[in-house]
Amino acid sequence: EAQVTQNPRYLITVTGKKLTVTCSQNMNHEYMSWYRQDPGLGLRQIYYSMNVEVTDKGDVPEGYKVSRKEKRNFPLILESPSPNQTSLYFCASSSRSGVKTQYFGPGTRLLVL
Amino acid sequence: QKEVEQNSGPLSVPEGAIASLNCTYSDRVSQSFFWYRQYSGKSPELIMSIYSNGDKEDGRFTAQLNKASQYVSLLIRDSQPSDSATYLCAVNSDTGNQFYFGTGTSLTVIP
């Protein structure tokens, strides 16, 4: 089954404790992206990757890091989480060719205390 | 800052009616436009994409694009209670690499 998976699905942590949210896709997609979704602000793009070892900032990259060492994986790293990073996070992937139809993962709900 | 504007609603329509959802965008060079449906607590799922002026139909859904007016809409015919969800409009940047989403319109279809 073609899918995007994220782990963990729910996470409660404390300020300053480094964490990683994993994202994996099995569709051989070149393009992958991370979003956060907040009430009243909608979905905002954090980082995206056009292919292995190619990443770029989206609209709200501050406080986040990403890496793309393998085509299927695109982890999101919060080196020192803060309460304003409490949010619902989505990973998405798409083929790079043509119109980018994005397929979203199930989401990770993060609470930073 | 590119902007995508949607009426947040809520929009309520009776079952069987036509639901009309609207979206405007600020960047004239945007290339592709998308409508996603998001059920409460779930991830967005693509309904339609459109990149040429005019109408594009897929079953009960019709997307309409007017680049001169920077306007894209989604019509849902014969609305069903299962269509009750939040509908997100998304716009692709001119490079095709970045996406900008509206805040969504909440639709309720009343049986």
Side-chain angles (χ1 to χ4, degrees):
Chain A
E1 179 189 356
Q3 61 182 350
V4 179
T5 57
Q6 295 178 227
N7 283 292
R9 295 288 314 279
Y10 304 92
L11 180 59
I12 301 174
T13 190
V14 295
T15 299
K17 186 176 182 182
K18 180 180 179 179
L19 66 92
T20 299
V21 184
T22 65
C23 173
S24 182
Q25 50 93 6
N26 63 1
M27 295 170 278
N28 201 36
H29 284 162
E30 296 86 0
Y31 183 93
M32 297 186 74
S33 183
W34 276 103
Y35 296 88
R36 61 179 289 174
Q37 187 171 35
D38 303 288
L41 297 176
L43 273 164
R44 293 178 293 168
Q45 195 169 27
I46 302 171
Y47 269 95
Y48 62 91
S49 169
M50 298 298 294
N51 214 324
V52 175
E53 302 292 359
V54 181
T55 63
D56 211 341
K57 296 177 181 178
D59 259 1
V60 288
E62 296 78 18
Y64 304 95
K65 285 177 58 178
V66 293
S67 68
R68 188 92 182 273
K69 293 182 170 55
E70 304 168 281
K71 196 173 187 179
R72 63 183 292 125
N73 296 323
F74 189 44
L76 179 70
I77 303 157
L78 284 71
E79 295 267 3
S80 183
S82 63
N84 64 13
Q85 293 179 297
T86 292
S87 188
L88 177 58
Y89 291 88
F90 288 104
C91 178
S93 73
S94 76
S95 171
R96 187 176 172 180
S97 61
V99 176
K100 288 190 179 69
T101 299
Q102 292 189 93
Y103 297 88
F104 282 81
T108 295
R109 193 168 290 278
L110 172 65
L111 173 62
V112 183
L113 300 173
Chain B
Q1 178 74 17
K2 296 174 174 57
E3 292 184 352
V4 179
E5 301 283 343
Q6 292 181 256
N7 187 330
S8 62
L11 174 65
S12 295
V13 300
E15 184 174 355
I18 296 175
S20 177
L21 305 163
N22 304 315
C23 174
T24 59
Y25 58 95
S26 63
D27 187 0
R28 284 196 169 274
V29 297
S30 296
Q31 296 296 319
S32 304
F33 307 85
F34 307 84
W35 283 101
Y36 287 84
R37 177 175 62 198
Q38 186 175 26
Y39 292 113
S40 181
K42 301 295 186 181
S43 56
E45 55 178 335
L46 182 72
I47 299 174
M48 295 190 69
S49 61
I50 185 169
Y51 47 90
S52 299
N53 277 327
D55 295 358
K56 180 181 179 182
E57 187 174 319
D58 185 358
R60 296 186 295 111
F61 299 96
T62 299
Q64 299 174 317
L65 175 61
N66 184 325
K67 289 188 177 182
S69 300
Q70 296 176 237
Y71 175 93
V72 58
S73 65
L74 179 70
L75 299 177
I76 306 175
R77 289 182 301 280
D78 189 23
S79 295
Q80 302 296 308
S82 58
D83 294 327
S84 297
T86 296
Y87 289 80
L88 307 174
C89 172
V91 172
N92 213 184
S93 67
D94 55 340
T95 62
N97 299 334
Q98 286 190 258
F99 290 83
Y100 303 93
F101 283 78
T103 53
T105 297
S106 175
L107 172 67
T108 300
V109 180
I110 303 166

